[in-house]
Each structure stands twice: as structure tokens, then as C-alpha cells.
Amino acid sequence: MSDIQGREDDGIERMPLKTFTETAYLNYSMYVILDRALPNIGDGMKPVQRRIVYAMSELGLSATAKFKKSARTVGDVLGKFHPHGDSACYEAMVLMAQPFSTRYPFIDGQGNWGSTDDPKSFAAMRYTESRMTRYSELMLSEVALGTVDWAPNFDGTIDEPTVLPARVPNVLLNGTTGIAVGMATDIPPHNMREVVSACIHLLDEPKADLAALCEHIKGPDFPTDAEIITPKADILKMYESGHGSVRMRALYEREDGDIIITALPHHVSGAKVLEQIASQMTAKKLPMVEDLRDESDHEHPTRLVITPRSNRVEIEPLMLHLFATTDLERTYRANFNIIGIDGKPQVKDLRSLLVEWLLFRTETVRKRLQYRLDKVNRRLHLLDGLLIAFLNMDEVIHIIRSEEKPKQALMKRFELSEEQADYVLDTKLRQLARLEEMKIRAEQEELAKERDTLEKTLGSKARLKTLIRKELIADAEAYGDDRRSPIVARDIAAAMDETALTPAEPVTVILSEKGWVRSAKGHEMDPTSITYKSGDSFASAAHGRSNQSSIFIDSTGRCYAVLAHTLPSARGHGEPLSGRLNSPDGASFKGVMMGAADDQYLIASDAGYGFISKLSTMITKNKAGKVLLSLPKGAEVLAPAPIRNAATDLIVTITSEGRMLVNSISELPELTKGKGIKVIGIPSKRVADREEYVVAMTIVPAKATLVVYSGQRHLKLKAKDLAAYEGERGRRGNKLPRGFQRVERVEVEEK
């Protein structure tokens, strides 16, 4: 490679591919950063925006001129200054004209320039017409006053301004977004009166800190009436670091029971919001909403109507849910990345940004004053020569008539400069009238006063600062307006829990012996009377609401939660729980529980241990469930039993040996998980060897009847009968009557 590198005898330049790609990519990156994507702190514009505004001024499209086809403007921009695609240029022009996209539009458009619902629905540039707005004057009014640095355009035929002499800090007023290479910018728009007020405060108090400036600039101000709900502390942090975010929320009001949305966040489409809400309604995730309408028109640009299902629907929780799940609330990133006066991109805090812009403005005003002073001095110089000629008119005329080189003769005779001599010779005879001397002296006097004022202003920092201050105040009064986006403190939006979004209808969840589950409407149906798959039968059932969770317990003591409204209908055989849950291999489901979060259930094993647990502690989102009941060796899980009244309910425990013990439920502890405590005394070895175990442990309310089934026979035990079996917790209990000692199942009858 060393032999090849640098050899140019064949006229071909050679370099390593690595060097070439690095250089090419670096050049491209710098071009994108400096000449495409990032705004300049002076005028707050990207090159394409600056070129559009300047091209329109060159076409004479002022705020009072007639409209011209947008294609004419785009043609001039592309042909003279911006050799890129016409569609990209026109789209940039459209954004500068849309009042819902730009806080202070540069362009006054006529025709279809898009809508808030679809900003890109604008007509082609051959159909639309445009001219500049009055606000654009603040960018262009000083271009011809010596304030601008000029640079050749892409083909070197004409010059264009590198930065426009903005009279206000447009970089904050209109903000901008852009993506460069390795960096991006997102500057939110602000209110002119607030920003100018902060600038004036900074002029008066150069050492003012950020907190003092934020007394004037409350926060961003978007071209929409929606609220900014970002806390003030977060806004202050954003201005301190140059990074942050702003959160906006739609405005709504009540009208005849309906919810009327009157303002949407910046760049949010009403049609899209309605589509998002409608999709939730279709998925039955928004039962409290009955109807949606879009009543927006010319008089009411945003009027979205949401009709609640009834007057009982709580509006505030509903709207907080919609704010969290739709574009009714949106977050906007803020990144104050700007090309500074030094030509380098940098993320700036608010104070540094304003200080630097004031330096730019001060230098611009200084150039403007110096340009005017030079012009005044030149005019005074010419008038001095003209007055000399006027006072010596006869001699001047004689020299002009008689001399071969009158210019040199005039310069020598009256000590005129070359410029003065040319001006005298170019003066028309009619300007030499008698009254001309008075005019010359009056103009000299007026210009001398202006010269003295300009020199004093240029020589005094205080006078220069005062002039800038007056101009800023005048511009804010002429072009400023009230804040559009109010800054308010609001509750944090949060999506409703899925259970709150489901209709609360009464349901009965039925579990079969084989672990198949289904849900039937109402509480009146008999779960034993419905059909089951061949070889399957009824195991357990629980009453609850469709918006509640059904809790299942398996043979390993793990519990699982499934939302009741997601279960299949009882019209069929249901579906196996094993398909929904990740239960251990070989495990079977022993029971189902439902109810309010504070409802209690008796959880027990056939080793005679049990405890009380609330449903709220059993709910889990994990498909693998969570451990609820710890089993002694050889023990199995018993079906859980609901507790109605912890003060009066009784626990009835029956063993395989026909022993029954009755205890008060208050003797059991409330646990979230565990083995529990001994309810009836059975030796552990007998349980492990399955010689004796609990066949039934249930809850009997105070006035209920316990029905004990043994073969074809059954025994009914009322409260007074149960008293004979009461004993201390942990005892062996008393034997049931002969013929009922082989208990198969028990039921509780309530009247």
C-alpha cells in the first residue's frame, strides 16, 4: 500500500478506503448538523426556513402584497438557494404556515394548508397561494441595513444571508425539531410576551439567575389551548439542563351529561383519539362509555363528544383512564440543542440561551447603527461639497465650462474629495435654485443631530441597552399575544384496573373434577345439574361478579388467579385450566374461590391443619401461581370454604374414622400462606400412611344445618345437635352415630 499511496503520475489521487470513508462521513455529518437539521440561535431557523422567508421577501410577498402561487416561491427557493427536493421544501413551507403547527406563523396561506386532524392533507403547491405574515417582518426588516453576513449561494451566482437579523428570540418563540447525525433538537414554542419580558429583565439585571427568569417565562406555550400539566419543578429542571419533557392534557367540560373535549394536545388528531377510544369500546374494555361523536366545525375546531352509559359513571376516573390510554395526554421531549454564535452546536440552558441571543441582538443593532452612521457621515460629506459649490456657483460653472478636466480643477480649487467632486458634477441644474441652500443647511442640521445621537448610542453600552429594550417592548406590544397553553397542576393519569373496566354482573364459576372451568350468569343455577364431559363431574363452585378474579387452588397448595369475565360460557363444557395456567406436572385443581378483596376463606389440608386467608392475598398475575398452603407429609388439599361471619361461624371437621369436632372460627389465625395450626388431632404417621385423614372441613353459619352423607343415607345436624361435638381445638373429636361414620361428603343448608 505504501508504494501506491501518494503516487499521482497517472493523475489519479489514491488514499486508504478507511481514510476516505471517515472523511466523507464526517463531512456529511457536519453538513447535516450545520446546514440542515439544527437552528441558529440568531434567527432560530434552519437553512430551508431562512431561504423560504428570504426568497419570499425577494419576490415582494410582504404581508400587504397579493398572494402568489406557492409553486412560484418553491421554484425560487430551489433555483436560487436550496438545491433539494421540491416536496421537502414545500412541506417545510406548509409547517411555517399552519397555525396549529407553528406558534407564530411566518406564512399566510390561502387554500388547503392541512388540518389538525391530518396536517399532511394540504393541497399541492400548484393549488395553494401564499405571502408572508406580519411576524416575518421581525426577521427581515433589518436585512438591508448592514446587519447581515452574506455568503454565495450553491452555484456562486448570488449571495444569501447566513443568519437573518431577528428582532425577537424566534429560536424560543417558534421552537423547532430536527434530527442530525449523532444529535437532535426539540425546542418547544414559547410566548412572545413572556420571553421578551425575560430578555428585558436580563438586560436590567445581567446577573439574574434562572429562577428569576422563570418568573417571566412560566413554561412552553404551544399553539393549542390544551393544558400543560408538567410540575413547575420539572419545568425549572428542564430549563436548567436543556433536557426534559413537557406533558400536555386535553381540556374537557360537562354538558347535559356528556363529556365535551374542547382542546387537544399539540399535533394530536381528534379522529385518532376517537379511534383509540372506539377500539377500547369494541374490545369491551370501556363499558362506562355508550357513544362517541365528532361535532367539530368551523366555529368549534375541536368538539369531541363522549356520552357516558349513565349518570352514575364517575367522570374524573374515566377521564384519567382515557388520558393514560389515549393521545388525550401526550409527552413532548425538550432538547435545547442550538448552533451558537460561535457556529458550534451545543445544548444550552435557558439563561445561557437568552444571554447569547442578547449578545447576537446587541451586535446586530450595533451593525445597524454603524451602517446608518456611515451613511449619514457620507451624506454630510456630500452636502458639504454641494454647499461649497452652491456658495461659489459662478466659479464652479466657469470651471466646468472652461477646464478640460473639471473634476481635478474643482478638487484643487475648493479642496473637495473625489466623491464630493463627482456629486457636484452629477447635480442637475434645477437643483441649483435659490431655495436649495436652505434645504441643504436644514438637511445638514437634521443629519448632524442624527449623527450625534448615533455616536452617543454607539459609544455608550447603557444607551445601546436602552434602545434594544425599547425595541423589544414595541415588538412585543405589536406582535405578542396572551398565553394559549395554561400551566396547571393536575392528578397523574392512570389506567383503570381491568376489573374496574368490566361490567359487574353476577356469575357462578364452576370447576369440574378433571379441572375444566366455565362461568355461568347469575347465582341461581345449580352447578350439579349441568352436563359434564364423559368421566367428569362437579367439583367446586363459587359465586361472584364478572369483574372479579376467580382464585383456584391446586393439589400442591399453590393458588392462581383468573379474571372471571375471561372464562368460557357455561353453555359448553368450558376449557381445561391447565391450558391457561402453568401448574406443576400431575397437579389437579381442588377448589375455586370468589368474592370481594376482603372476603375470607378457610384454607386447610386433610392432615387436620388450617388457617384463614383473605382473597386479596391470593391474587397473583403469575401464571405459575404462588404458594398458599404448605402440606405435611402425605397430606392433601381440602376444598376451601367461605367464611360469612368470623364471630359466629363454626368449623366442622370430620375424619375418615367418623370423628367430628366443632370449633369457633375465631380460634384460627389469619395468614397469607403457611401450614396453619392443628384443628383436629390426627397423628402425623397415620396421615402419612393414609390410615386416617380429614374427609371434610367446612364452615357452618350460626343458624345453618349441616347435612352429612354416608352412602344412600344422610344425617341433618342443626346448631343444637352440633353442640354435642364441640371441643377444644386440636382434640380428636366425638364419634358420629353408627351408620354415619363413613362420611362421603357434607353440605350446608341455609334458610
Side-chain angles (χ1 to χ4, degrees):
M1 186 67 192
S2 58
D3 295 334
I4 300 173
Q5 188 172 355
R7 201 173 71 198
E8 298 183 3
D9 53 342
D10 55 359
I12 299 174
E13 181 182 357
R14 291 174 171 83
M15 68 173 66
L17 182 62
K18 180 176 181 291
T19 305
F20 172 77
T21 52
E22 282 180 357
T23 305
Y25 189 70
L26 182 63
N27 291 340
Y28 167 73
S29 301
M30 293 306 296
Y31 166 74
V32 173
I33 291 168
L34 299 177
D35 291 317
R36 185 186 296 179
L38 300 188
N40 190 289
I41 194 167
D43 56 14
M45 289 180 165
K46 300 177 187 179
V48 65
Q49 296 170 324
R50 186 180 303 119
R51 288 162 175 167
I52 288 170
V53 169
Y54 181 66
M56 291 183 79
S57 71
E58 290 291 283
L59 285 169
L61 296 176
S62 66
T64 55
K66 289 183 178 180
F67 288 93
K68 273 188 182 177
K69 288 287 184 184
S70 301
R72 174 72 187 277
T73 300
V74 172
D76 264 35
V77 173
L78 301 187
K80 293 181 178 178
F81 310 112
H82 199 70
H84 296 278
D86 60 339
S87 59
C89 179
Y90 181 51
E91 192 166 329
M93 185 176 171
V94 168
L95 287 173
M96 296 168 71
Q98 290 176 337
F100 49 84
S101 295
T102 305
R103 182 64 179 85
Y104 298 96
F106 297 99
I107 295 171
D108 181 12
Q110 189 167 264
N112 177 13
W113 289 80
S115 65
T116 51
D117 275 347
D118 188 3
K120 294 195 174 184
S121 62
F122 50 85
M125 57 185 169
R126 61 181 177 274
Y127 299 118
T128 61
E129 296 179 335
S130 58
R131 65 184 179 188
M132 290 187 293
T133 60
R134 287 182 61 242
Y135 178 78
S136 295
E137 296 172 5
L138 294 175
M139 306 293 117
L140 296 163
S141 60
E142 298 176 359
V143 167
L145 302 180
T147 59
V148 175
D149 292 331
W150 299 84
N153 69 337
F154 62 90
D155 61 2
T157 54
I158 53 177
D159 289 339
E160 62 175 317
T162 55
V163 179
L164 295 178
R167 293 172 60 93
V168 289
N170 179 65
V171 67
L172 275 179
L173 301 186
N174 274 321
T176 190
T177 60
I179 299 173
V181 176
M183 61 180 67
T185 184
D186 289 280
I187 304 173
H190 290 74
N191 183 272
M192 184 186 292
R193 290 176 181 171
E194 292 182 6
V195 173
V196 167
S197 178
C199 289
I200 291 168
H201 181 75
L202 202 54
L203 285 170
D204 295 339
E205 303 287 342
K207 294 183 179 180
D209 60 6
L210 183 64
L213 295 177
C214 285
E215 291 295 319
H216 299 271
I217 300 177
K218 307 297 182 184
D221 186 25
F222 292 87
T224 172
D225 297 329
E227 298 173 335
I228 294 174
I229 61 169
T230 306
K232 290 185 178 180
D234 291 350
I235 293 177
L236 186 63
K237 285 181 183 177
M238 175 184 76
Y239 287 144
E240 280 177 347
S241 63
H243 294 285
S245 61
V246 180
R247 184 174 287 272
M248 293 199 80
R249 180 177 289 181
L251 288 180
Y252 71 94
E253 57 189 36
R254 297 294 303 276
E255 185 180 296
D256 299 329
D258 291 338
I259 303 167
I260 312 297
I261 297 170
T262 56
L264 293 169
H266 185 48
H267 275 170
V268 169
S269 161
K272 185 179 179 183
V273 167
L274 290 180
E275 183 182 333
Q276 290 171 334
I277 299 174
S279 66
Q280 292 190 43
M281 293 172 66
T282 304
K284 296 184 179 179
K285 291 184 177 180
L286 211 57
M288 60 282 289
V289 175
E290 184 178 25
D291 189 28
L292 294 173
R293 295 190 307 278
D294 187 353
E295 296 182 355
S296 305
D297 54 27
H298 184 71
E299 189 177 348
H300 303 96
T302 302
R303 184 180 169 84
L304 309 181
V305 183
I306 302 173
T307 304
R309 191 167 293 277
S310 71
N311 292 330
R312 295 190 302 274
V313 173
E314 294 185 29
I315 301 302
E316 190 170 341
L318 169 60
M319 291 308 298
L320 287 176
H321 170 78
L322 292 177
F323 290 143
T325 57
T326 70
D327 284 345
L328 288 175
E329 184 174 311
R330 179 179 277 189
T331 300
Y332 302 87
R333 190 177 66 172
N335 180 23
F336 293 77
N337 195 1
I338 306 165
I339 298 173
I341 294 177
D342 58 1
K344 297 177 181 178
Q346 185 182 359
V347 176
K348 300 183 186 295
D349 63 272
L350 180 65
R351 188 183 185 282
S352 300
L353 192 154
L354 291 176
V355 167
E356 195 164 334
W357 184 83
L358 285 172
L359 288 174
F360 167 82
R361 181 61 189 157
T362 302
E363 186 59 29
T364 301
V365 172
R366 189 186 298 279
K367 286 180 179 178
R368 187 189 78 203
L369 296 178
Q370 187 62 52
Y371 177 81
R372 178 59 185 166
L373 179 60
D374 293 344
K375 208 168 185 181
V376 167
N377 284 332
R378 180 175 180 274
R379 180 64 180 164
L380 284 170
H381 182 62
L382 295 176
L383 289 175
D384 287 343
L386 187 62
L387 187 61
I388 290 171
F390 186 83
L391 295 175
N392 301 277
M393 189 182 300
D394 293 340
E395 190 175 353
V396 168
I397 292 172
H398 176 72
I399 290 172
I400 292 171
R401 293 183 65 185
S402 59
E403 293 290 336
E404 277 188 31
K405 296 181 179 180
K407 178 179 175 181
Q408 283 75 8
L410 288 172
M411 290 171 64
K412 185 177 181 180
R413 171 67 184 84
F414 299 109
E415 296 182 350
L416 299 179
S417 67
E418 185 175 353
E419 192 177 18
Q420 285 174 320
D422 284 335
Y423 187 67
V424 168
L425 291 171
D426 290 339
T427 302
K428 295 177 181 178
L429 286 173
R430 65 184 177 189
Q431 289 180 287
L432 302 178
R434 184 103 187 133
L435 294 174
E436 192 63 27
E437 181 183 355
M438 295 173 63
K439 287 182 181 179
I440 293 171
R441 293 191 182 278
E443 187 179 352
Q444 278 182 322
E445 186 177 345
E446 187 178 340
L447 290 175
K449 286 181 181 178
E450 186 180 354
R451 178 193 60 199
D452 294 341
T453 302
L454 290 170
E455 287 176 346
K456 285 179 182 178
T457 304
L458 285 168
S460 168
K461 289 184 178 179
R463 284 175 176 268
L464 192 61
K465 194 178 288 186
T466 302
L467 175 62
I468 294 170
R469 189 178 189 277
K470 286 180 180 178
E471 290 178 350
L472 282 171
I473 292 172
D475 290 337
E477 288 178 355
Y479 300 94
D481 56 4
D482 294 332
R483 167 173 281 277
R484 289 197 60 183
S485 304
I487 301 175
V488 295
R490 296 291 185 196
D491 293 335
I492 297 173
M496 288 186 186
D497 187 78
E498 192 170 352
T499 57
L501 296 171
T502 307
E505 299 171 347
V507 293
T508 301
V509 175
I510 305 159
L511 178 67
S512 76
E513 290 284 353
K514 299 289 187 183
W516 285 61
V517 67
R518 46 190 150 167
S519 175
K521 290 184 178 180
H523 293 164
E524 294 75 25
M525 61 90 60
D526 180 8
T528 61
S529 64
I530 60 177
T531 59
Y532 291 86
K533 292 178 74 71
S534 178
D536 202 0
S537 60
F538 169 75
S540 177
H543 294 157
R545 297 271 173 183
S546 56
N547 63 340
Q548 294 174 337
S549 291
S550 342
I551 312 294
F552 300 92
I553 185 168
D554 70 8
S555 57
T556 67
R558 298 184 73 84
C559 63
Y560 310 82
V562 179
L563 290 169
H565 73 270
T566 66
L567 295 174
S569 169
R571 292 192 183 96
H573 291 122
E575 64 180 56
L577 267 175
S578 56
R580 286 184 174 233
L581 306 172
N582 299 332
S583 56
D585 292 340
S588 58
F589 292 93
K590 294 295 184 180
V592 60
M593 298 168 274
M594 278 191 80
D598 290 335
D599 284 0
Q600 296 176 318
Y601 270 79
L602 171 64
I603 307 297
S605 67
D606 66 3
Y609 289 85
F611 61 90
I612 299 169
S613 188
K614 285 184 179 178
L615 284 177
S616 58
T617 65
M618 305 182 205
I619 295 175
T620 174
K621 292 183 179 179
N622 191 348
K623 286 189 174 183
K626 67 178 185 178
V627 175
L628 177 63
L629 178 63
S630 300
L631 296 172
K633 185 178 179 182
E636 295 182 3
V637 176
L638 293 174
I643 297 169
R644 309 291 175 81
N645 189 328
T648 60
D649 284 357
L650 298 173
I651 305 174
V652 176
T653 310
I654 304 174
T655 71
S656 58
E657 293 293 323
R659 292 183 174 275
M660 186 168 83
L661 181 65
V662 178
N663 309 109
S664 170
I665 191 67
S666 59
E667 295 185 38
L668 264 63
E670 183 179 318
L671 304 174
T672 57
K673 64 179 180 178
K675 175 182 175 182
I677 62 172
K678 185 171 284 190
V679 180
I680 190 168
I682 306 176
S684 301
K685 189 174 186 312
R686 287 180 64 82
V687 174
D689 295 339
R690 304 307 286 171
E691 293 176 359
E692 186 180 3
Y693 50 88
V694 174
V695 293
M697 188 184 296
T698 190
I699 301 295
V700 181
K703 295 182 180 180
T705 300
L706 179 69
V707 184
V708 179
Y709 290 89
S710 180
Q712 299 295 320
R713 305 169 66 190
H714 67 273
L715 174 66
K716 291 190 176 183
L717 300 171
K718 296 185 178 180
K720 61 181 180 178
D721 303 317
L722 293 174
Y725 296 91
E726 288 184 2
E728 292 182 13
R729 180 186 56 77
R731 296 292 186 181
R732 292 282 287 151
N734 297 328
K735 281 275 190 178
L736 285 164
R738 189 178 296 276
F740 292 96
Q741 293 178 0
R742 295 296 177 186
V743 177
E744 295 177 358
R745 61 188 175 90
V746 297
E747 288 183 1
V748 178
E749 290 183 353
E750 297 185 58
K751 293 185 179 179

